Amino acid sequence: MLKVFISVLIFCSALIYAQGTKVFGDFSMKASPYNSKVFEKSNLNIYYQFKFLKDSKVSQNPREGLCVLQIGENYSKFSDTKTLQKDSLFEKFSHLESVGVKEMNQLFMYNPLWSMESLKSVVDKKVTYQKRYKTKYEYEELQPELKWQLHNESKKILDYSCKKATVKYRGREFVAWYTMEVPINNGPYIFEGLPGLILEL
């Protein structure tokens, strides 16, 4: 069973490490075209550190990464920061006549652990998912109606007073900690619907 733990890091910067994959030799190929659509500018970016564990034993070495929740007026997007960096390189390289070993090694530096991007629309209550597997594909669905149970338990996260909430979603139970000190109905991935920003899931 894979458990995902997400906790927030607000206004932090990511340290980027090479993943150990390198391309050697001398080759070049035609640069691929790059297309993107800007829905709107984000007003607020919230960074979440996440950890993948095979089980709940803390002694194991978790795989860790950093995601960002970009919040605008009508949309919010949740993605791995390395995906954004990789997309930025794809866009940059698309203007070249060809790409070679140097460009490929730059791309291999950014290997996202959180492979699914999600775009939530406030207007039509839909979520669009994108994932790259050889090529990028996407699908959309209605925003799930999450039936949160609110609890009296509380704790501090980054000096914010947080309350506990739980919800069952697709066969799993999730525990969220949200703060009413940031009155934003949003959180990581598809999670939202609480009277404050979700700081930990």
Side-chain angles (χ1 to χ4, degrees):
M1 180 65 75
L2 186 70
K3 291 190 177 181
V4 181
F5 296 89
I6 302 175
S7 60
V8 70
L9 294 173
I10 298 180
F11 304 119
C12 68
S13 60
L15 294 175
I16 307 303
Y17 296 95
Q19 300 299 311
T21 304
K22 286 215 172 209
V23 177
F24 297 96
D26 185 21
F27 79 94
S28 67
M29 59 187 196
K30 186 178 178 182
S32 299
Y34 181 85
N35 294 312
S36 64
K37 179 180 178 182
V38 177
F39 288 84
E40 64 183 2
K41 300 286 185 182
S42 64
N43 299 327
L44 179 64
N45 293 342
I46 300 159
Y47 293 85
Y48 292 85
Q49 180 186 27
F50 67 90
K51 298 179 182 180
F52 285 103
L53 296 173
K54 287 188 177 178
D55 58 38
S56 58
K57 294 179 183 175
V58 181
S59 61
Q60 291 189 352
N61 293 325
R63 295 174 16 174
E64 299 184 21
L66 191 71
C67 283
V68 61
L69 175 63
Q70 300 171 290
I71 301 175
E73 293 296 324
N74 299 302
Y75 296 92
S76 66
K77 179 182 175 184
F78 187 73
S79 57
D80 195 309
T81 56
K82 289 184 179 179
T83 299
L84 299 181
Q85 291 160 324
K86 204 166 193 171
D87 283 347
S88 179
L89 285 176
F90 278 129
E91 193 278 330
K92 177 183 174 182
F93 296 158
S94 71
H95 301 290
L96 301 176
E97 286 187 18
S98 63
V99 294
V101 171
K102 178 184 172 184
E103 291 79 17
M104 293 301 291
N105 282 328
Q106 287 181 49
L107 286 169
F108 280 131
M109 286 180 64
Y110 304 105
N111 191 9
L113 281 177
W114 189 276
S115 57
M116 183 73 72
E117 295 177 84
S118 54
L119 179 75
K120 292 186 280 197
S121 169
V122 174
V123 179
D124 57 14
K125 297 293 183 187
K126 288 183 180 177
V127 185
T128 302
Y129 303 93
Q130 283 191 341
K131 189 170 183 175
R132 183 177 281 116
Y133 178 74
K134 296 184 180 178
T135 186
K136 189 174 264 193
Y137 64 89
E138 73 174 42
Y139 66 96
E140 75 174 24
E141 67 178 3
L142 289 174
Q143 169 69 34
E145 290 186 29
L146 302 172
K147 296 179 180 178
W148 291 100
Q149 299 292 317
L150 305 183
H151 304 274
N152 289 325
E153 294 175 58
S154 60
K155 71 174 180 178
K156 286 267 192 181
I157 299 174
L158 298 177
D159 289 330
Y160 290 96
S161 296
C162 296
K163 290 280 193 179
K164 181 180 178 181
T166 56
V167 68
K168 287 186 178 177
Y169 174 66
R170 293 187 175 169
R172 294 182 180 177
E173 183 168 324
F174 292 85
V175 177
W177 294 91
Y178 66 96
T179 179
M180 290 190 285
E181 294 174 24
V182 184
I184 295 174
N185 168 20
N186 216 321
Y189 192 40
I190 53 87
F191 294 96
E192 62 175 31
L194 288 168
L197 180 66
I198 299 173
L199 296 190
E200 184 177 294
L201 185 71

